[in-house]
Amino acid sequence: MKTYINGIGCISTQKTFDTVFLEEAIHDNNENVLKIVSPAYKDFISPAASRRMAKGVKNGIVASALAMKDANIENVDAIITGTGLGCIEDSEKFLKNILDNNEEFLTPTSFIQSTHNTVGAQIALLQQCKGYNFTYVNGAVSFESALIDAKMQIEGDEANSILVGGVDENGDYTTALFKLNGRIKKDTYESYAVLNSETSGAIYGEGASFFVLENERKENTYAKLLDVTIINTLEENEIETEIKSFLKANKLEISDIDALVLGFDGNVDFEIYYKNLAENAFAQTPVLYYKHLSGEYDTASAFALWMASKIIKTQEIPEIIKVNSVEKPAYNTILLYNQLNGKNHSFTLISK
């Protein structure tokens, strides 16, 4: 069985809904933490329920609803979610309540809603989906872990349609901690440019991207999901060899790739992984980037897959995501490569 991407939905730090492909995207060099562009939640969730939900849950529900609508389906056989930090806002609220109330008289609501699988559970409740429901919490490859699971189930004929997504949200306290330990760029820097950055730490973001994967090609199919692989640790000089063997396993060579999507996030300490590829092996290939729009977070690669799926369907690449000026007559095969702080490397391959 082959795996097709038949519907996509994305809520991010850009306006990625009710608009043409990244037409209204804004590249802001003055922010080190990007905020979500909120949709009209009341169109998807009742206001009473919405008030009790963390933004990650709401964004996940809306993104999944957009993907289902895009795929023209009412229900799916399974829901698989990837998240790095889960519902971190509710976790923060609960911990703050423990301290404020001297560990007494606590309401359990925030604790119940702070678990990582809240997003998948809420989507299932709204859709009345009683099938397989799983959440992967695996750092920067959480989304890829979910993708691999879904792909295996479709190829093994265990499911016909699966909703797969990556969701993460920012919490104020966690963001402050990330600034302290250097994961996010310091507030004192003058510019937060992602390409050619000279400072450590990343531009941070949040978002939810969902995909409907099915075993048959339809009129509204975006792309075919060829392969996904994850590797925990790699040295800078091993990346090219790994990519070549990954492509070879799919009977492809570097010259067959029509666009390469890289996870440049502005952290000068680890950009060498991407720069080596862009300047050497893939110098004749259109190279794209996306974290200047989405920010860095554990499941940011889901935003990249949303972007790559759009490119294959529209056959257009917006100027705002280009790293180099190389162009191809058609964009039929796209490779995505992501890593976070030198760990959790992932390769995803999609084709027309």
Side-chain angles (χ1 to χ4, degrees):
M1 285 290 189
K2 293 185 170 65
T3 309
Y4 297 95
I5 300 171
N6 286 349
I8 60 177
C10 178
I11 301 300
S12 68
T13 52
Q14 301 293 332
K15 194 165 191 295
T16 41
F17 52 93
D18 298 339
T19 177
V20 188
F21 181 33
L22 292 179
E23 188 187 43
E24 297 175 45
I26 297 161
H27 181 193
D28 188 352
N29 272 347
N30 303 315
E31 291 291 332
N32 56 348
V33 179
L34 307 175
K35 297 276 190 293
I36 207 91
V37 176
S38 301
Y41 294 121
K42 65 179 190 302
D43 295 348
F44 300 87
I45 313 161
S46 73
S50 179
R51 275 197 298 275
R52 292 193 298 275
M53 286 179 184
K55 62 184 171 185
V57 179
K58 291 192 281 194
N59 293 332
I61 288 171
V62 175
S64 64
L66 292 173
M68 300 272 287
K69 187 182 175 188
D70 197 26
N72 289 324
I73 57 168
E74 294 289 314
N75 42 36
V76 288
D77 300 329
I79 297 168
I80 309 177
T81 320
T83 180
L85 295 173
C87 301
I88 197 74
E89 271 193 331
D90 276 315
S91 303
E92 287 182 9
K93 270 185 209 165
F94 182 68
L95 293 173
K96 188 174 181 297
N97 285 342
I98 289 178
L99 295 173
D100 292 349
N101 298 320
N102 294 321
E103 302 182 22
E104 297 173 336
F105 318 118
L106 292 173
T107 53
T109 316
S110 293
F111 176 69
I112 293 163
Q113 293 182 338
S114 70
T115 57
H116 290 69
N117 54 8
T118 306
V119 182
Q122 289 287 2
I123 293 168
L125 281 169
L126 284 169
Q127 288 182 12
Q128 289 299 298
C129 172
K130 297 181 175 70
Y132 178 90
N133 194 322
F134 209 86
T135 299
Y136 284 90
V137 186
N138 200 6
V141 288
S142 301
F143 173 65
E144 285 79 3
S145 304
L147 265 187
I148 290 169
D149 186 353
K151 193 169 179 294
M152 284 168 69
Q153 289 206 37
I154 285 174
E155 285 172 358
D157 208 11
E158 290 175 40
N160 298 328
S161 60
I162 300 179
L163 186 64
V164 185
V167 186
D168 271 298
E169 63 180 22
N170 283 337
D172 293 340
Y173 187 67
T174 309
T175 302
L177 291 178
F178 281 166
K179 284 178 183 171
L180 274 177
N181 82 349
R183 190 164 170 176
I184 300 178
K185 287 193 184 299
K186 289 187 171 69
D187 293 336
T188 49
Y189 293 157
E190 284 177 15
S191 168
Y192 298 109
V194 168
L195 286 185
N196 307 316
S197 164
E198 293 173 3
T199 52
S200 59
I203 309 297
Y204 224 68
E206 55 188 338
S209 303
F210 272 83
F211 305 83
V212 173
L213 302 185
E214 293 186 290
N215 59 0
E216 58 178 310
R217 190 183 159 193
K218 296 180 176 173
E219 276 180 30
N220 55 337
T221 295
Y222 281 82
K224 185 160 67 175
L225 181 63
L226 291 179
D227 202 359
V228 185
T229 194
I230 53 184
I231 300 161
N232 183 254
T233 47
L234 281 174
E235 295 303 319
E236 293 148 23
N237 55 0
E238 296 173 332
I239 294 292
E240 194 177 318
T241 314
E242 276 300 330
I243 284 185
K244 281 178 178 168
S245 64
F246 174 65
L247 293 176
K248 193 178 176 186
N250 288 284
K251 300 182 175 62
L252 293 169
E253 292 176 21
I254 284 177
S255 56
D256 297 319
I257 300 301
D258 298 316
L260 173 69
V261 182
L262 296 175
F264 285 105
D265 64 1
N267 187 347
V268 71
D269 304 330
F270 299 100
E271 296 297 54
I272 190 75
Y273 281 101
Y274 302 128
K275 279 198 169 138
N276 280 349
L277 287 176
E279 291 167 8
N280 301 312
F282 288 90
Q284 304 304 314
T285 308
V287 177
L288 317 175
Y289 71 137
Y290 58 96
K291 286 178 185 169
H292 58 309
L293 301 179
S294 71
E296 173 70 277
Y297 53 98
D298 284 321
T299 51
S301 51
F303 181 91
L305 184 61
W306 170 84
M307 198 174 84
S309 304
K310 280 278 203 185
I311 289 169
I312 285 185
K313 190 160 189 179
T314 61
Q315 289 294 305
E316 281 176 27
I317 296 182
E319 282 296 324
I320 199 166
I321 57 174
K322 290 180 180 177
V323 173
N324 60 14
S325 54
V326 182
E327 290 189 356
K328 288 269 179 108
Y331 300 100
N332 296 329
T333 309
I334 297 181
L335 173 67
L336 293 84
Y337 165 51
N338 186 50
Q339 54 84 23
L340 182 59
N341 298 343
K343 297 258 176 76
N344 290 333
H345 304 264
S346 65
F347 305 115
T348 306
L349 192 62
I350 64 171
S351 73
K352 194 172 169 65

